[in-house]
């Protein structure tokens, strides 16, 4: 997919936490192709997902079983709209933060939208069913210090999001203990997060067991460009490797610092965040100094006139 003129670009796709009620609605009202993509999720999943996305309530949108397919749906709609407008340089790599790996693989042609939405709907259901434990954010400590604190408390590191910005995961008592230790070690902030489970920890092992037969039965093709993996920041393209990554990333920490560093070291200078919000762009700017970041919502903020029916 990459071309010689655009070998310094990567596409990034956000994960849980990037959603908000009304995301994509203005664009869908102005662009029938966007509306069609979003409405297709209703048909694929057999639920009124577009109404939840556009109108909420927020409590319904943030339910994991809805949140995950909602983010993938909007990310894909934005991606298709950008491609239709020739507003998206071809990438050297794609990457996604946790759930965002599904959106990345859809964009890279390795996974169909229908299959991707069904997988993430079930992923969200399983994560809710097995949603024990807690997570916390630790701000202002070096990674090695947080690693040591997590081990001492019996918790696990879940996300290396940016230098000095790490999340931990595990049983609630172990995470609370890690927060106490981090505060004592001089963290600028150490706070429990409002999540429904200990994501990216060994407590998610039942989710892996539930997803394995579904992922094994899903058709994947070789991705047009490499996916830089959450688990070990390695570029992969083969369908077997893609399946393995989508299973391994459920319990493994998201090594986002390493993901961005791998792409930056390979010459990527421009990162396009394709999905709701701009969280990943902020993280990239802290990891790869001097990198150029562009968000889909900035590129799509002036949608073309639309003469067809409304999105919902």
């Amino acid at each position: 997919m990459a071309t010689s003129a655009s070998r310094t670009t990567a596409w990034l796709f956000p994960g849980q936490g990037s959603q908000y009620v009304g995301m994509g609605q203005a664009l869908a009202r102005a662009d029938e192709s966007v509306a069609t993509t979003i409405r297709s999720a209703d048909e694929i999943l057999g639920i009124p997902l577009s109404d939840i996305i556009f109108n909420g309530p927020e409590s319904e949108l943030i339910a994991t079983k809805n949140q995950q397919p909602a983010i993938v749906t909007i990310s894909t709609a934005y991606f298709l709209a950008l491609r239709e407008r020739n507003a998206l340089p071809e990438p050297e790599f794609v990457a996604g933060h946790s759930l965002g790996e599904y959106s990345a693989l859809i964009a890279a042609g390795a996974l169909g939208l229908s299959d991707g939405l069904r997988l993430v709907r079930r992923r969200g259901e399983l994560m809710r069913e097995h949603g024990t434990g807690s997570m916390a954010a630790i701000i202002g400590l070096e990674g090695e210090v947080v690693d040591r604190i997590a081990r001492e408390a019996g918790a696990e590191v879940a996300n290396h999001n940016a230098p000095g910005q790490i999340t931990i995961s595990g049983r609630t008592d172990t995470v609370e203990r890690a927060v106490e230790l981090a505060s004592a070690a001089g963290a600028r902030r150490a706070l429990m997060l409002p999540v429904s489970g200990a994501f990216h920890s060994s407590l998610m092992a039942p989710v892996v067991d539930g997803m394995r037969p579904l992922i094994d039965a899903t058709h994947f093709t070789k991705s047009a460009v490499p996916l830089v993996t959450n688990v070990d920041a390695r570029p992969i393209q083969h369908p077997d490797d893609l399946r393995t990554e989508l299973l391994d990333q459920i319990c493994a920490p998201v090594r986002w610092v390493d993901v961005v560093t791998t792409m930056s070291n390979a010459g990527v200078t421009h990162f396009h965040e394709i999905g709701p919000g701009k969280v990943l762009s902020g993280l990239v700017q802290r990891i790869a100094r001097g990198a150029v970041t562009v968000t889909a919502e900035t590129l799509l903020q002036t949608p073309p006139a639309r003469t067809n029916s409304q999105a919902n």
Side-chain angles (χ1 to χ4, degrees):
M1 186 181 293
T3 67
S4 58
S6 57
R7 292 179 62 86
T8 60
T9 297
W11 296 345
L12 308 180
F13 296 83
Q16 285 187 235
S18 61
Q19 78 290 328
Y20 58 90
V21 173
M23 59 184 179
Q25 188 171 25
L27 185 65
R29 285 175 173 159
D31 188 326
E32 181 62 33
S33 67
V34 172
T36 298
T37 299
I38 297 171
R39 283 198 302 263
S40 72
D42 296 357
E43 300 168 7
I44 291 165
L45 298 177
I47 61 172
L49 186 65
S50 61
D51 184 60
I52 295 171
I53 292 171
F54 293 154
N55 301 311
E58 186 177 9
S59 59
E60 275 296 296
L61 180 60
I62 65 173
T64 310
K65 65 181 181 180
N66 297 326
Q67 183 180 171
Q68 296 200 16
I71 292 167
V72 171
T73 295
I74 295 300
S75 296
T76 302
Y78 286 176
F79 165 72
L80 294 174
L82 289 168
R83 291 302 299 271
E84 188 176 85
R85 300 173 190 204
N86 295 315
L88 196 58
E90 295 295 320
E92 183 70 8
F93 301 102
V94 296
H97 193 286
S98 189
L99 168 71
E101 290 197 320
Y102 286 85
S103 304
L105 292 179
I106 292 168
L111 179 64
L113 176 60
S114 295
D115 285 335
L117 286 178
R118 293 188 186 101
L119 286 174
V120 299
R121 171 71 173 183
R122 186 57 183 148
R123 184 179 186 265
E125 290 172 342
L126 287 166
M127 286 182 170
R128 178 58 183 162
E129 290 171 19
H130 301 285
T132 60
S134 300
M135 299 181 73
I138 309 298
I139 310 297
L141 292 179
E142 295 293 330
E144 297 81 1
V145 176
V146 178
D147 287 341
R148 175 181 55 76
I149 287 171
R151 287 194 303 271
E152 182 177 345
E156 302 171 46
V157 172
N159 300 321
H160 294 270
N161 284 328
Q165 184 175 334
I166 299 170
T167 63
I168 56 174
S169 189
R171 294 195 328 269
T172 299
D173 61 325
T174 67
V175 175
E176 289 175 341
R177 175 58 177 157
V179 166
E180 293 173 358
L181 293 173
S183 297
R188 284 206 311 275
R189 296 184 72 191
L191 66 159
M192 303 294 288
L193 295 174
V195 297
S196 59
F199 303 135
H200 297 290
S201 79
S202 57
L203 293 181
M204 290 288 106
V207 179
V208 179
D209 294 337
M211 290 298 295
R212 188 181 305 279
L214 302 177
I215 287 177
D216 286 347
T218 297
H219 178 68
F220 287 79
T221 60
K222 180 181 178 181
S223 61
V225 294
L227 171 79
V228 182
T229 64
N230 284 187
V231 173
D232 56 13
R234 180 171 59 97
I236 62 172
Q237 290 181 270
H238 192 278
D240 290 345
D241 293 333
L242 301 176
R243 288 190 180 92
T244 298
E245 169 63 15
L246 292 182
L247 290 170
D248 288 351
Q249 57 116 285
I250 293 170
C251 291
V254 176
R255 302 187 179 279
W256 192 248
V257 173
D258 293 340
V259 169
V260 174
T261 299
T262 292
M263 293 185 285
S264 181
N265 288 345
V268 172
T269 57
H270 289 66
F271 295 84
H272 286 251
E273 182 171 1
I274 306 170
K278 55 183 180 180
V279 171
L280 298 184
S281 294
L283 297 180
V284 166
Q285 289 167 0
R286 293 180 57 190
I287 298 165
R289 300 292 183 179
V292 176
T293 57
V294 182
T295 69
E297 292 189 332
T298 297
L299 292 173
L300 295 169
Q301 66 183 351
T302 309
R306 174 180 168 193
T307 57
N308 294 320
S309 61
Q310 297 296 296
N312 56 347

